[in-house]
């Protein structure tokens, strides 16, 4: 199921643009299509992927720091004004469920959840999230809160997860996709990017381009390191021993 078909950037570039329009990928963005139930955005830090995913989430009705549509809390405003000029083109079918998960502000989200859901946390498991490890509380949201027929937007979810937990997330995503859900995910994880049938967009100074799994930097660099780790480490540390 696809609930958001595309986004349109209505901003007209000018010579006095400020952040985030100083980022080449954002400044040159006109439209971005979502053709598959799962879409990944991949790029280096500072490429604009988190700014874009944040703007999509806010326009979809989610709190900038994460949560569902009923969350309305602010710890510290850091989101850009990009959401004001991004327009969503939606399908006729609405998503009854939805959530925005971002690793950067998950502690703030968990605090809000623990404040709201005092007593037994039936929506997120049966323990307060701050009484569990970071990985466990993160996974509790995935496992207990998402019900299907939803729009789920993630910003670097792998930051809180072990490799084994990323495997569990892939399984959960597959089940939710079969329950008519759409995912839009910014990630650096070569494991997440391997999700079958997904669209992958590379975000760089050259713009935003559809790519294949094997062409992504996380795949290529991780594969090269695993196949040549001794040589890579030798090159990285060369000269440091003499300092």
């Amino acid at each position: 199921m696809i609930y958001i078909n595309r986004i349109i950037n209505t901003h007209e570039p000018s010579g006095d643009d400020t952040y985030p329009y100083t980022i080449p990928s954002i400044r040159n963005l006109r439209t971005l299509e979502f053709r598959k139930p799962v879409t990944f955005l991949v790029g280096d830090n500072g490429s604009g992927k988190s700014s874009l995913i944040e703007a999509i989430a806010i326009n979809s009705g989610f709190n900038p720091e994460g949560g569902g549509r009923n969350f309305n809390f602010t710890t510290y405003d850091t989101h850009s004004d990009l959401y004001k000029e991004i327009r969503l083109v939606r399908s006729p079918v609405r998503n009854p469920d939805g959530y925005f998960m971002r690793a950067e502000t998950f502690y703030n989200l968990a605090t809000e959840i623990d404040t709201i859901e005092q007593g037994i946390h039936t929506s997120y498991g049966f323990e307060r999230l701050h009484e569990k490890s970071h990985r466990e509380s993160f996974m509790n949201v995935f496992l207990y809160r998402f019900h299907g027929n939803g729009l789920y937007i993630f910003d670097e979810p792998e930051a809180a997860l072990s490799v084994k937990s990323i495997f569990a997330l892939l399984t959960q995503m597959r089940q939710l996709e079969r329950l008519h859900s759409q995912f839009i995910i910014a990630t650096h994880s070569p494991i997440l990017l391997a999700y079958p049938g997904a669209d992958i967009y590379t975000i760089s100074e050259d713009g935003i381009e559809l790519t294949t799994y094997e062409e992504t930097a996380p795949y290529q660099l991780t594969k090269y390191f695993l196949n040549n780790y001794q040589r890579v480490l030798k090159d990285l540390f060369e000269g440091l021993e003499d300092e």
Side-chain angles (χ1 to χ4, degrees), residues 78-242:
T78 59
H79 56 281
S80 73
D81 289 337
L82 178 61
Y83 74 95
K84 297 178 180 178
E85 299 184 85
I86 289 289
R87 185 163 64 86
L88 305 184
V89 180
R90 298 177 178 269
S91 73
V93 181
R94 296 295 178 176
N95 52 291
D97 194 29
Y99 217 84
F100 179 34
M101 284 283 287
R102 60 187 313 178
E104 182 181 10
T105 55
F106 181 72
Y107 183 92
N108 305 337
L109 175 62
T111 300
E112 181 71 9
I113 291 170
D114 281 350
T115 301
I116 294 172
E117 292 209 1
Q118 297 182 9
I120 297 177
H121 286 41
T122 55
S123 297
Y124 296 88
F126 295 91
E127 296 179 68
R128 299 176 70 83
L129 295 183
H130 279 313
E131 293 177 356
K132 304 180 77 64
S133 72
H134 188 39
R135 179 199 67 81
E136 289 173 327
S137 58
F138 214 80
M139 286 302 299
N140 266 33
V141 178
F142 293 133
L143 295 174
Y144 291 103
R145 171 55 184 80
F146 299 168
H147 308 301
N149 295 291
L151 172 64
Y152 304 117
I153 302 175
F154 301 161
D155 186 17
E156 300 183 7
E158 71 277 4
L161 302 178
S162 66
V163 171
K164 184 177 179 180
S165 295
I166 294 176
F167 292 156
L169 175 56
L170 286 171
T171 302
Q172 181 72 353
M173 286 174 56
R174 195 61 158 183
Q175 293 173 342
L176 289 167
E177 182 193 349
R178 291 172 176 171
L179 292 174
H180 313 295
S181 298
Q182 180 181 10
F183 291 87
I184 302 173
I185 304 174
T187 185
H188 295 287
S189 170
I191 299 175
L192 279 180
L193 289 171
Y195 188 92
D199 268 350
I200 303 174
Y201 286 100
T202 293
I203 300 180
S204 68
E205 290 188 355
D206 297 326
I208 303 177
E209 297 180 333
L210 195 64
T211 190
T212 66
Y213 175 58
E214 291 81 4
E215 292 174 323
T216 63
Y219 170 84
Q220 292 182 350
L221 293 174
T222 302
K223 180 180 179 180
Y224 181 78
F225 177 79
L226 292 176
N227 289 336
N228 307 275
Y229 72 93
Q230 292 177 322
R231 176 180 170 185
V232 172
L233 293 174
K234 180 181 177 182
D235 290 344
L236 289 174
F237 300 155
E238 188 174 8
L240 295 179
E241 288 75 9
D242 299 330

